[in-house]
Amino acid sequence: MTRVACIGECMIELRQAPGGQAGALYSRFYGGDTLNTAVYLSRLGVDVDYITALGDDALSDEMIAGWAAEGIGTKRVARLPGKLPGLYLIQTDDKGERRFFHWRESAAARSLMDLPETDDMLNSLASYDIVYLSAITLSILQEGGREKLMTALKRARLLGTRFAFDTNFRARGWPDLDVARKVFSSAFEGADIVLASTEDLAPLYPGESNAALLAGISSPEVVLKLAEPSCILRYAGGSSEVRAEPLTKPVVDTTAAGDSFAAAYLAARLGGAEPEDAARAGHRLAGAVVGYPGAIIPRYAMPPKKAPRPSTSRKASQ
């Protein structure tokens, strides 16, 4: 069975009640970009492990139990005495666009590359078919930790593991843009699949056209999600543009739209789908996710799987 490892950080999620007034109630959940992707991968039938570090507190216990209930493997989760997970709060406007507030400076996941378990974890990456991580994963690590992880990924790729990189970019997570550009360049060179968006790349490469952004990514397979509900694909044999189907429900919360797209895209590709069909699957799941509050939608809201159809995508403009 195909196996995927997702590496990153999961945090406590506080979701503000509608209205956002002072004294409003908050609902507590958990989430994080790569964890969200792991949940949706598991729901789509992929065997997935989550690699992170948590504390030894009750909230961390709750996370572990919740991930296991979703079918996510937790054997690679390090538990650090005295540490806690990070926390973030979501505010959404009347269009469903979200704003995040984070408290994560001393979160356990930041120590992931500096633990007694680290070497064993890094050596295990070669046992997976795909290792998936995001720019946020890399941003929470120190420079030495990033280098250690990227070196381990290079070793794993020599043994047949593929590396999928999501460009999820948050400027506040980086000391400056030059550091971020350097790390992104290294990830682009090492990745087999890049899941990017103009929203992520525009702050890093201001003024660049879509064609220039694609040209700057050296990976063999690239998905570039656009501001409109569409994406440009570049892959062995060509490139194309795939538009999303119109939404049938209002947008409530765009949290995890990109994370769920990544899960559906990777699951479809692992199942043998062509890139265009994988992108359609990504659009469908993301379209369902934005119709519900928070990062993880109810199981009953998962869209039904669709059989691949003949390609109707058009060649992307260059």
Side-chain angles (χ1 to χ4, degrees), residues 52-61 64 77-81 115 117:
T52 191
L54 289 175
D56 59 351
D57 57 290
L59 293 174
S60 295
D61 291 341
I64 292 284
V77 178
R79 304 297 300 272
L80 309 186
L115 304 175
E117 304 95 326

Side-chain angles (χ1 to χ4, degrees), residues 2-303:
T2 302
R3 300 178 68 229
V4 174
C6 294
I7 308 176
E9 178 185 23
C10 182
M11 294 175 283
I12 301 298
E13 174 189 282
L14 295 181
R15 187 186 308 162
Q16 193 170 37
Q21 301 299 317
L25 295 177
Y26 290 82
S27 300
R28 179 171 60 81
F29 298 89
Y30 56 81
D33 62 341
T34 53
L35 186 279
N36 301 335
T37 299
V39 169
Y40 290 117
L41 279 168
S42 182
R43 289 184 179 185
L44 293 168
V46 177
D47 185 7
V48 57
D49 288 344
Y50 196 56
I51 298 177
T52 191
L54 289 175
D56 59 351
D57 57 290
L59 293 174
S60 295
D61 291 341
E62 184 180 293
M63 284 186 181
I64 292 284
W67 303 348
E70 287 283 358
I72 297 170
T74 60
K75 64 184 178 182
R76 297 292 177 188
V77 178
R79 304 297 300 272
L80 309 186
K83 283 286 189 177
L84 293 167
L87 178 146
Y88 69 99
L89 181 149
I90 303 174
Q91 284 185 338
T92 53
D93 62 21
D94 56 6
K95 295 181 180 179
E97 290 300 325
R98 75 276 194 221
R99 184 183 182 193
F100 295 100
F101 300 85
H102 291 87
W103 295 265
R104 69 198 312 185
E105 288 75 13
S106 60
R110 289 179 172 269
S111 303
L112 186 58
M113 292 296 114
D114 304 301
L115 304 175
E117 304 95 326
T118 297
D119 287 345
D120 183 54
M121 179 270 289
L122 293 175
N123 289 333
S124 77
L125 299 183
S127 67
Y128 295 94
D129 296 279
I130 287 183
V131 174
Y132 170 84
L133 57 86
S134 75
I136 291 179
T137 306
L138 297 176
S139 74
I140 67 171
L141 304 174
Q142 297 297 318
E143 181 178 0
R146 288 195 291 265
E147 292 176 355
K148 189 182 296 187
L149 176 55
M150 296 304 294
T151 298
L153 286 168
K154 289 179 182 178
R155 291 198 304 266
R157 290 181 74 229
L158 292 174
L159 298 173
T161 297
R162 286 180 288 171
F163 167 33
F165 175 65
D166 193 311
T167 62
N168 202 357
F169 176 71
R170 300 290 182 269
R172 62 181 171 271
W174 299 92
D176 58 61
L177 293 183
D178 287 338
V179 171
R181 292 186 190 105
K182 180 180 177 181
V183 173
F184 271 59
S185 178
S186 176
F188 291 158
E189 290 176 4
D192 299 279
I193 300 172
V194 169
L195 296 142
S197 74
T198 54
E199 179 184 8
D200 291 333
L201 299 184
L204 280 172
Y205 311 103
E208 296 283 8
S209 66
N210 293 342
L213 291 175
L214 279 168
I217 302 174
S218 54
S219 308
E221 183 171 333
V222 182
V223 181
L224 180 65
K225 289 165 283 181
L226 308 178
E228 61 268 26
S230 181
C231 65
I232 299 174
L233 307 177
R234 190 189 71 212
Y235 47 87
S239 64
S240 56
E241 181 175 346
V242 178
R243 293 186 174 275
E245 297 177 1
L247 296 178
T248 59
K249 295 181 178 180
V251 174
V252 174
D253 185 351
T254 58
T255 303
D259 309 332
S260 57
F261 181 102
Y265 184 89
L266 292 174
R269 292 293 280 141
L270 287 167
E274 294 298 319
E276 290 90 346
D277 283 324
R280 292 188 188 99
H283 284 315
R284 281 196 299 275
L285 182 53
V289 167
V290 299
Y292 292 84
I296 307 300
I297 64 175
R299 282 182 174 272
Y300 64 76
M302 293 288 292

